[in-house]
Every structure is written in structure tokens, then in C-alpha cells.
Amino acid sequence: MVNRAEVREKIVETAARLLHERGAAAVTIRGVAQAAGLQPPALYRFFEDKDALLDAVAEHVFTTYVAEKSLDAASADPVADLRAGWAAHIGFGLANAALFGLLVAPGRVSPAAEAGLAVLRARIHRLARTGRLAVPESRAAGMVHAAGTGTVLTLLATPPESRDPGFADAMFEAVARQILTGPPAAAPDGTPAALPAPPTLTEAERALLAEWQNRPAPTG
């Protein structure tokens, strides 16, 4: 007896491979059926059309990614965890260009994408609990999510050989300076980030802080 769950899983995994290797245009009912060793009518027993199949593929791949991300052990530094999550998000988007485009399509409601946002909100909440947030949690999560999505789309729109290797890190630092009350985690090269001024400082206090930050270390 044919196991429907196994057949469906085979179809989705085959479509996911085609999507990754050849892009969304390659994921047709006929093409996926042929690659899976099935007749095209068999796919219609599981999916209404190509869009439904693509939705299932997006959920399959992204759910696996979110599950792995949610299992990452938290470190002692919540900012470092946020940076690690950012890097993972950028890496996933660049490695799954066609799928990423489906996930961020306007109007799309994805349970897997919502699960990913839940992981981000948990990391933002941890920052808030340690007194590191300068803005409300909802704003911080929205800014990180929007900046991360925009960063991936910008990099995907740029030929690989022309991409700025420091662009993603620079975007993280820009957002971190807006949402954090203390210095963001050091960049991958070990360079410490500048201390952003807390939003409650007066102009005179900000000037004093800037002078203190830029003052050379004493010698001797």
C-alpha cells in the first residue's frame, strides 16, 4: 500500500532540490513529477497547482531552518546571539535565493516565517531583560527583521563578484546603534564598536561622550 505521507514528502523534497538548483521556473508540475519518478496527475492528488506546491516547499525548507535556529544554545551575551542570528538569516537568504523570494513576497502568510519571527522576538526580549534595548521590543524586532530582509534582497540583486563583503555587518551595526543602549558585539574581525549615546542624554552630554570616546588612550 502506498504511503501518502511518504509520497508527499518525496514530491516536496524533489521540488525543493529543483528550486535550489534551478530556481522557481523549474518547479513545474510536470518537471517535479518527472524528477520524482511520478506521473503528473499524481501530484494533483496532493497539490492543487504549482503555487500550492511552492508553498509546501517553502514551508518545508524554512521550517527546518527555523527548527535548527531555535535549538541554538544561548550564549552569555545576548547581543552576540542577535548578531549570530543575523548572520544565519543572511546566510540562509543568500544560499536559498529563490525560496527567500517566495517567503518575503508581499501578502504571504507563512507559519514557518512566523516561527522565525518568534525566535527573533525571543532574542529581542532577552536584550530587553538585560537592559540593553533603547526602543520598545516591537520596534526593535521590526527594525532587525526589515533590515535583515532588505540586506538579503540587496545582496541578491548584486552580482556575487560585486558584493561588498562588509555590507551585512555594516547594516547590523547601523541597526544595533539605533536599538541598543550599549555597544553592539565586536565585529567578526574583533574591532570593537563605538558606544552609542543613550537616548536620554542632552546635547551637551552627547558632546562630552563623543569627546571621551575619541580621546586617545593615555601612554606611559
Side-chain angles (χ1 to χ4, degrees):
M1 182 175 178
V2 177
N3 187 313
R4 283 183 58 85
E6 291 181 356
V7 174
R8 186 183 189 280
E9 182 178 5
K10 179 180 181 180
I11 293 170
V12 172
E13 290 180 347
T14 299
R17 176 173 56 80
L18 291 176
L19 179 67
H20 179 72
E21 294 176 352
R22 305 180 193 175
V27 185
T28 63
I29 295 295
R30 181 177 297 277
V32 173
Q34 182 178 4
L38 301 169
Q39 294 297 318
L43 270 69
Y44 287 108
R45 300 188 190 122
F46 300 90
F47 307 101
E48 180 180 359
D49 52 25
K50 173 183 173 179
D51 288 340
L53 175 57
L54 285 172
D55 283 344
V57 170
E59 294 302 317
H60 170 73
V61 177
F62 198 63
T63 296
T64 301
Y65 161 70
V66 170
E68 293 173 349
K69 186 168 69 167
S70 62
L71 290 175
D72 290 343
S75 73
D77 185 347
V79 183
D81 289 344
L82 183 65
R83 180 187 285 280
W86 171 278
H89 180 75
I90 302 301
F92 175 85
L94 295 181
N96 300 273
L99 177 60
F100 192 83
L102 294 175
L103 289 169
V104 300
R108 175 181 169 80
V109 178
S110 164
E114 284 299 317
L117 281 173
V119 174
L120 171 61
R121 293 185 187 111
R123 287 177 171 157
I124 294 295
H125 182 63
R126 186 162 170 249
L127 284 165
R129 290 182 60 187
T130 56
R132 297 298 304 274
L133 279 186
V135 299
E137 291 184 41
S138 59
R139 180 184 299 178
M143 290 177 68
V144 173
H145 177 66
T149 298
T151 296
V152 172
L153 293 177
T154 298
L155 290 172
L156 289 176
T158 306
E161 65 276 9
S162 300
R163 291 173 186 168
D164 176 358
F167 180 72
D169 285 337
M171 286 295 295
F172 178 84
E173 297 296 346
V175 175
R177 287 189 175 90
Q178 293 297 315
I179 69 173
L180 299 178
T181 58
D189 62 0
T191 303
L195 178 68
T200 56
L201 293 185
T202 66
E203 289 301 319
E205 290 170 331
R206 288 173 183 272
L208 182 60
L209 176 59
E211 179 185 350
W212 174 77
Q213 286 180 313
N214 296 322
R215 182 178 301 171
T219 58

CSV table of all heavy atoms in Angstrom, one decimal, residues 132-182:
chain,number,residue,atom,x,y,z
A,132,ARG,N,19.4,46.2,27.7
A,132,ARG,CA,20.2,46.6,26.5
A,132,ARG,C,19.4,47.3,25.4
A,132,ARG,O,19.9,47.8,24.5
A,132,ARG,CB,20.9,45.4,25.9
A,132,ARG,CG,21.9,44.7,26.8
A,132,ARG,CD,23.0,45.6,27.2
A,132,ARG,NE,23.7,46.2,26.1
A,132,ARG,CZ,24.7,45.6,25.5
A,132,ARG,NH1,25.1,44.4,25.8
A,132,ARG,NH2,25.3,46.2,24.4
A,133,LEU,N,18.0,47.4,25.5
A,133,LEU,CA,17.2,48.0,24.5
A,133,LEU,C,17.0,49.5,24.7
A,133,LEU,O,16.6,49.8,25.9
A,133,LEU,CB,15.9,47.3,24.3
A,133,LEU,CG,15.9,46.0,23.5
A,133,LEU,CD1,14.4,45.5,23.3
A,133,LEU,CD2,16.5,46.1,22.2
A,134,ALA,N,17.1,50.3,23.7
A,134,ALA,CA,16.8,51.7,23.8
A,134,ALA,C,15.4,52.0,23.2
A,134,ALA,O,15.0,53.2,23.3
A,134,ALA,CB,17.9,52.5,23.1
A,135,VAL,N,14.8,51.1,22.6
A,135,VAL,CA,13.5,51.3,22.0
A,135,VAL,C,12.6,50.1,22.4
A,135,VAL,O,13.0,49.1,23.0
A,135,VAL,CB,13.6,51.3,20.4
A,135,VAL,CG1,14.5,52.4,20.0
A,135,VAL,CG2,14.1,49.9,19.9
A,136,PRO,N,11.2,50.3,22.2
A,136,PRO,CA,10.3,49.2,22.5
A,136,PRO,C,10.7,47.9,21.8
A,136,PRO,O,11.2,47.9,20.7
A,136,PRO,CB,9.0,49.7,22.1
A,136,PRO,CG,9.1,51.2,22.1
A,136,PRO,CD,10.5,51.5,21.7
A,137,GLU,N,10.4,46.7,22.4
A,137,GLU,CA,10.7,45.4,21.8
A,137,GLU,C,10.1,45.3,20.4
A,137,GLU,O,10.8,44.8,19.5
A,137,GLU,CB,10.2,44.3,22.7
A,137,GLU,CG,11.0,44.2,24.0
A,137,GLU,CD,10.6,43.0,24.8
A,137,GLU,OE1,10.3,41.9,24.2
A,137,GLU,OE2,10.4,43.2,26.1
A,138,SER,N,8.9,45.7,20.2
A,138,SER,CA,8.2,45.5,18.9
A,138,SER,C,9.0,46.3,17.8
A,138,SER,O,9.1,45.8,16.7
A,138,SER,CB,6.8,46.0,19.0
A,138,SER,OG,6.7,47.3,19.4
A,139,ARG,N,9.4,47.5,18.2
A,139,ARG,CA,10.1,48.3,17.2
A,139,ARG,C,11.5,47.7,16.9
A,139,ARG,O,11.9,47.6,15.7
A,139,ARG,CB,10.3,49.8,17.7
A,139,ARG,CG,11.1,50.6,16.7
A,139,ARG,CD,11.4,52.0,17.2
A,139,ARG,NE,10.2,52.7,17.5
A,139,ARG,CZ,10.2,54.0,18.0
A,139,ARG,NH1,11.3,54.6,18.2
A,139,ARG,NH2,9.0,54.6,18.2
A,140,ALA,N,12.2,47.2,17.9
A,140,ALA,CA,13.5,46.6,17.7
A,140,ALA,C,13.4,45.4,16.8
A,140,ALA,O,14.1,45.2,15.9
A,140,ALA,CB,14.1,46.2,19.1
A,141,ALA,N,12.4,44.5,17.1
A,141,ALA,CA,12.2,43.3,16.3
A,141,ALA,C,11.9,43.7,14.8
A,141,ALA,O,12.4,43.1,13.9
A,141,ALA,CB,11.1,42.4,16.9
A,142,GLY,N,11.0,44.7,14.7
A,142,GLY,CA,10.6,45.1,13.3
A,142,GLY,C,11.8,45.7,12.5
A,142,GLY,O,12.0,45.4,11.3
A,143,MET,N,12.7,46.5,13.2
A,143,MET,CA,13.8,47.1,12.6
A,143,MET,C,14.8,46.0,12.1
A,143,MET,O,15.4,46.0,11.0
A,143,MET,CB,14.5,48.1,13.5
A,143,MET,CG,13.6,49.4,13.7
A,143,MET,SD,14.4,50.5,14.8
A,143,MET,CE,15.8,51.1,13.9
A,144,VAL,N,15.1,45.1,13.0
A,144,VAL,CA,16.0,44.0,12.7
A,144,VAL,C,15.5,43.1,11.6
A,144,VAL,O,16.2,42.8,10.6
A,144,VAL,CB,16.3,43.1,13.9
A,144,VAL,CG1,17.2,41.9,13.6
A,144,VAL,CG2,17.0,43.9,15.0
A,145,HIS,N,14.2,42.8,11.6
A,145,HIS,CA,13.6,42.0,10.6
A,145,HIS,C,13.7,42.7,9.2
A,145,HIS,O,14.0,42.1,8.2
A,145,HIS,CB,12.2,41.6,10.9
A,145,HIS,CG,11.5,40.9,9.9
A,145,HIS,ND1,11.8,39.6,9.5
A,145,HIS,CD2,10.4,41.2,9.1
A,145,HIS,CE1,11.0,39.2,8.6
A,145,HIS,NE2,10.2,40.1,8.3
A,146,ALA,N,13.2,44.0,9.2
A,146,ALA,CA,13.2,44.7,8.0
A,146,ALA,C,14.6,44.9,7.4
A,146,ALA,O,14.8,44.8,6.2
A,146,ALA,CB,12.5,46.1,8.2
A,147,ALA,N,15.6,45.2,8.3
A,147,ALA,CA,16.9,45.4,7.8
A,147,ALA,C,17.5,44.1,7.3
A,147,ALA,O,18.3,44.1,6.3
A,147,ALA,CB,17.8,46.0,8.9
A,148,GLY,N,17.3,43.0,8.0
A,148,GLY,CA,17.8,41.8,7.5
A,148,GLY,C,17.2,41.4,6.2
A,148,GLY,O,18.0,40.9,5.3
A,149,THR,N,15.9,41.5,6.0
A,149,THR,CA,15.3,41.2,4.7
A,149,THR,C,15.8,42.1,3.6
A,149,THR,O,16.2,41.6,2.5
A,149,THR,CB,13.8,41.3,4.8
A,149,THR,OG1,13.3,40.4,5.8
A,149,THR,CG2,13.1,41.0,3.5
A,150,GLY,N,15.9,43.4,3.9
A,150,GLY,CA,16.5,44.3,2.9
A,150,GLY,C,17.9,44.0,2.5
A,150,GLY,O,18.3,44.1,1.4
A,151,THR,N,18.7,43.6,3.5
A,151,THR,CA,20.1,43.3,3.3
A,151,THR,C,20.2,42.1,2.3
A,151,THR,O,21.0,42.1,1.3
A,151,THR,CB,20.8,43.0,4.6
A,151,THR,OG1,20.8,44.2,5.4
A,151,THR,CG2,22.3,42.5,4.3
A,152,VAL,N,19.4,41.1,2.6
A,152,VAL,CA,19.5,39.9,1.7
A,152,VAL,C,19.0,40.2,0.3
A,152,VAL,O,19.7,39.9,-0.7
A,152,VAL,CB,18.6,38.8,2.3
A,152,VAL,CG1,18.5,37.6,1.3
A,152,VAL,CG2,19.1,38.2,3.6
A,153,LEU,N,17.9,41.0,0.2
A,153,LEU,CA,17.4,41.3,-1.2
A,153,LEU,C,18.4,42.2,-1.9
A,153,LEU,O,18.6,42.0,-3.1
A,153,LEU,CB,16.1,42.0,-1.1
A,153,LEU,CG,14.9,41.2,-0.5
A,153,LEU,CD1,13.7,42.0,-0.4
A,153,LEU,CD2,14.7,40.0,-1.5
A,154,THR,N,19.1,43.1,-1.2
A,154,THR,CA,20.1,44.0,-1.9
A,154,THR,C,21.3,43.1,-2.3
A,154,THR,O,21.8,43.3,-3.5
A,154,THR,CB,20.6,45.0,-0.9
A,154,THR,OG1,19.5,45.9,-0.5
A,154,THR,CG2,21.7,45.9,-1.5
A,155,LEU,N,21.7,42.2,-1.5
A,155,LEU,CA,22.9,41.4,-1.9
A,155,LEU,C,22.5,40.5,-3.1
A,155,LEU,O,23.3,40.2,-4.0
A,155,LEU,CB,23.4,40.6,-0.7
A,155,LEU,CG,24.1,41.4,0.4
A,155,LEU,CD1,24.3,40.6,1.6
A,155,LEU,CD2,25.4,42.0,-0.1
A,156,LEU,N,21.3,39.9,-3.0
A,156,LEU,CA,20.9,39.0,-4.1
A,156,LEU,C,20.7,39.8,-5.4
A,156,LEU,O,20.9,39.2,-6.5
A,156,LEU,CB,19.5,38.4,-3.8
A,156,LEU,CG,19.6,37.3,-2.7
A,156,LEU,CD1,18.2,36.8,-2.4
A,156,LEU,CD2,20.5,36.1,-3.1
A,157,ALA,N,20.4,41.1,-5.4
A,157,ALA,CA,20.3,41.9,-6.6
A,157,ALA,C,21.6,42.3,-7.1
A,157,ALA,O,21.7,42.9,-8.2
A,157,ALA,CB,19.4,43.1,-6.3
A,158,THR,N,22.7,42.0,-6.4
A,158,THR,CA,24.1,42.4,-6.8
A,158,THR,C,24.8,41.2,-7.2
A,158,THR,O,24.8,40.2,-6.5
A,158,THR,CB,24.8,43.1,-5.6
A,158,THR,OG1,24.0,44.1,-5.1
A,158,THR,CG2,26.2,43.6,-6.1
A,159,PRO,N,25.5,41.2,-8.4
A,159,PRO,CA,26.3,40.1,-8.8
A,159,PRO,C,27.3,39.7,-7.7
A,159,PRO,O,27.9,40.6,-7.0
A,159,PRO,CB,27.1,40.6,-10.0
A,159,PRO,CG,26.2,41.7,-10.6
A,159,PRO,CD,25.6,42.3,-9.3
A,160,PRO,N,27.5,38.4,-7.4
A,160,PRO,CA,28.4,38.0,-6.3
A,160,PRO,C,29.7,38.6,-6.3
A,160,PRO,O,30.3,39.0,-5.3
A,160,PRO,CB,28.5,36.5,-6.5
A,160,PRO,CG,27.2,36.1,-7.2
A,160,PRO,CD,26.9,37.3,-8.1
A,161,GLU,N,30.3,38.8,-7.5
A,161,GLU,CA,31.7,39.4,-7.6
A,161,GLU,C,31.7,40.9,-7.3
A,161,GLU,O,32.7,41.4,-7.0
A,161,GLU,CB,32.3,39.2,-9.0
A,161,GLU,CG,31.6,39.9,-10.1
A,161,GLU,CD,30.3,39.1,-10.7
A,161,GLU,OE1,29.9,38.1,-10.1
A,161,GLU,OE2,29.8,39.6,-11.7
A,162,SER,N,30.5,41.5,-7.3
A,162,SER,CA,30.4,43.0,-7.0
A,162,SER,C,29.9,43.3,-5.6
A,162,SER,O,29.8,44.4,-5.2
A,162,SER,CB,29.5,43.6,-8.0
A,162,SER,OG,30.0,43.4,-9.3
A,163,ARG,N,29.6,42.2,-4.8
A,163,ARG,CA,29.0,42.5,-3.5
A,163,ARG,C,30.1,43.0,-2.5
A,163,ARG,O,31.2,42.6,-2.5
A,163,ARG,CB,28.5,41.2,-2.9
A,163,ARG,CG,27.2,40.7,-3.7
A,163,ARG,CD,26.8,39.3,-3.2
A,163,ARG,NE,25.6,38.8,-4.0
A,163,ARG,CZ,25.2,37.6,-4.0
A,163,ARG,NH1,25.8,36.7,-3.1
A,163,ARG,NH2,24.2,37.2,-4.7
A,164,ASP,N,29.7,43.9,-1.7
A,164,ASP,CA,30.5,44.5,-0.6
A,164,ASP,C,30.6,43.5,0.5
A,164,ASP,O,29.5,43.2,1.1
A,164,ASP,CB,29.9,45.8,-0.1
A,164,ASP,CG,30.7,46.4,1.0
A,164,ASP,OD1,31.7,45.8,1.5
A,164,ASP,OD2,30.3,47.5,1.5
A,165,PRO,N,31.7,42.9,0.8
A,165,PRO,CA,31.8,41.8,1.8
A,165,PRO,C,31.5,42.3,3.2
A,165,PRO,O,31.1,41.5,4.1
A,165,PRO,CB,33.2,41.3,1.7
A,165,PRO,CG,34.0,42.5,1.1
A,165,PRO,CD,33.0,43.1,0.2
A,166,GLY,N,31.5,43.6,3.4
A,166,GLY,CA,31.3,44.2,4.7
A,166,GLY,C,29.9,44.8,4.9
A,166,GLY,O,29.5,45.3,5.9
A,167,PHE,N,29.1,44.6,3.8
A,167,PHE,CA,27.7,45.3,3.8
A,167,PHE,C,26.8,44.8,4.9
A,167,PHE,O,26.2,45.5,5.6
A,167,PHE,CB,27.1,45.1,2.4
A,167,PHE,CG,25.7,45.7,2.3
A,167,PHE,CD1,25.6,47.1,2.2
A,167,PHE,CD2,24.6,45.0,2.3
A,167,PHE,CE1,24.4,47.7,2.1
A,167,PHE,CE2,23.3,45.6,2.2
A,167,PHE,CZ,23.2,46.9,2.1
A,168,ALA,N,26.7,43.4,5.0
A,168,ALA,CA,25.8,42.9,6.0
A,168,ALA,C,26.2,43.3,7.4
A,168,ALA,O,25.4,43.6,8.3
A,168,ALA,CB,25.8,41.3,5.9
A,169,ASP,N,27.5,43.2,7.7
A,169,ASP,CA,28.0,43.6,9.1
A,169,ASP,C,27.7,45.1,9.3
A,169,ASP,O,27.3,45.5,10.4
A,169,ASP,CB,29.5,43.4,9.2
A,169,ASP,CG,29.8,41.9,9.4
A,169,ASP,OD1,28.9,41.2,9.8
A,169,ASP,OD2,30.9,41.5,9.0
A,170,ALA,N,27.9,46.0,8.3
A,170,ALA,CA,27.6,47.4,8.4
A,170,ALA,C,26.2,47.6,8.7
A,170,ALA,O,25.8,48.5,9.5
A,170,ALA,CB,28.1,48.1,7.2
A,171,MET,N,25.3,46.9,8.1
A,171,MET,CA,23.9,47.0,8.3
A,171,MET,C,23.5,46.6,9.7
A,171,MET,O,22.7,47.3,10.4
A,171,MET,CB,23.1,46.2,7.3
A,171,MET,CG,23.0,46.8,5.9
A,171,MET,SD,22.2,48.4,5.8
A,171,MET,CE,20.5,47.9,6.3
A,172,PHE,N,24.1,45.6,10.2
A,172,PHE,CA,23.8,45.1,11.6
A,172,PHE,C,24.3,46.2,12.5
A,172,PHE,O,23.5,46.6,13.5
A,172,PHE,CB,24.6,43.8,11.9
A,172,PHE,CG,24.4,43.4,13.3
A,172,PHE,CD1,23.2,42.7,13.7
A,172,PHE,CD2,25.3,43.7,14.3
A,172,PHE,CE1,23.0,42.3,15.0
A,172,PHE,CE2,25.1,43.4,15.6
A,172,PHE,CZ,24.0,42.6,16.0
A,173,GLU,N,25.4,46.8,12.3
A,173,GLU,CA,25.9,47.8,13.2
A,173,GLU,C,25.0,49.0,13.2
A,173,GLU,O,24.7,49.7,14.3
A,173,GLU,CB,27.3,48.3,12.8
A,173,GLU,CG,28.4,47.2,12.9
A,173,GLU,CD,28.6,46.7,14.4
A,173,GLU,OE1,28.1,47.3,15.3
A,173,GLU,OE2,29.2,45.6,14.5
A,174,ALA,N,24.5,49.4,12.0
A,174,ALA,CA,23.6,50.6,11.9
A,174,ALA,C,22.3,50.3,12.7
A,174,ALA,O,21.9,51.3,13.4
A,174,ALA,CB,23.3,50.8,10.4
A,175,VAL,N,21.8,49.2,12.6
A,175,VAL,CA,20.5,48.9,13.4
A,175,VAL,C,20.9,48.8,14.9
A,175,VAL,O,20.1,49.3,15.7
A,175,VAL,CB,19.9,47.6,12.9
A,175,VAL,CG1,18.7,47.2,13.7
A,175,VAL,CG2,19.5,47.7,11.4
A,176,ALA,N,22.0,48.1,15.2
A,176,ALA,CA,22.3,48.0,16.6
A,176,ALA,C,22.5,49.3,17.3
A,176,ALA,O,22.1,49.5,18.5
A,176,ALA,CB,23.6,47.2,16.7
A,177,ARG,N,23.1,50.3,16.6
A,177,ARG,CA,23.2,51.6,17.2
A,177,ARG,C,21.9,52.3,17.5
A,177,ARG,O,21.8,53.2,18.3
A,177,ARG,CB,24.1,52.5,16.3
A,177,ARG,CG,25.6,52.1,16.3
A,177,ARG,CD,26.5,53.1,15.6
A,177,ARG,NE,27.9,52.7,15.7
A,177,ARG,CZ,28.5,52.0,14.9
A,177,ARG,NH1,27.9,51.5,13.8
A,177,ARG,NH2,29.8,51.7,15.1
A,178,GLN,N,20.9,51.9,16.8
A,178,GLN,CA,19.6,52.5,16.9
A,178,GLN,C,18.8,51.9,18.0
A,178,GLN,O,17.9,52.5,18.7
A,178,GLN,CB,18.8,52.4,15.6
A,178,GLN,CG,19.3,53.3,14.5
A,178,GLN,CD,19.3,54.8,14.8
A,178,GLN,OE1,18.3,55.3,15.4
A,178,GLN,NE2,20.4,55.5,14.6
A,179,ILE,N,19.0,50.6,18.3
A,179,ILE,CA,18.1,49.9,19.2
A,179,ILE,C,18.8,49.5,20.5
A,179,ILE,O,18.1,49.2,21.5
A,179,ILE,CB,17.6,48.6,18.6
A,179,ILE,CG1,18.7,47.5,18.4
A,179,ILE,CG2,16.9,48.8,17.3
A,179,ILE,CD1,18.2,46.2,17.9
A,180,LEU,N,20.1,49.6,20.6
A,180,LEU,CA,20.8,49.2,21.8
A,180,LEU,C,21.2,50.4,22.7
A,180,LEU,O,21.5,51.5,22.2
A,180,LEU,CB,22.1,48.4,21.5
A,180,LEU,CG,21.8,47.1,20.7
A,180,LEU,CD1,23.1,46.4,20.4
A,180,LEU,CD2,20.9,46.1,21.5
A,181,THR,N,21.3,50.2,24.0
A,181,THR,CA,21.8,51.2,24.9
A,181,THR,C,23.3,51.1,25.2
A,181,THR,O,23.9,52.0,25.7
A,181,THR,CB,21.1,51.1,26.3
A,181,THR,OG1,21.3,49.8,26.8
A,181,THR,CG2,19.6,51.3,26.1
A,182,GLY,N,23.9,50.0,24.8
A,182,GLY,CA,25.3,49.8,25.0
A,182,GLY,C,25.9,49.4,23.7
A,182,GLY,O,25.3,49.3,22.6
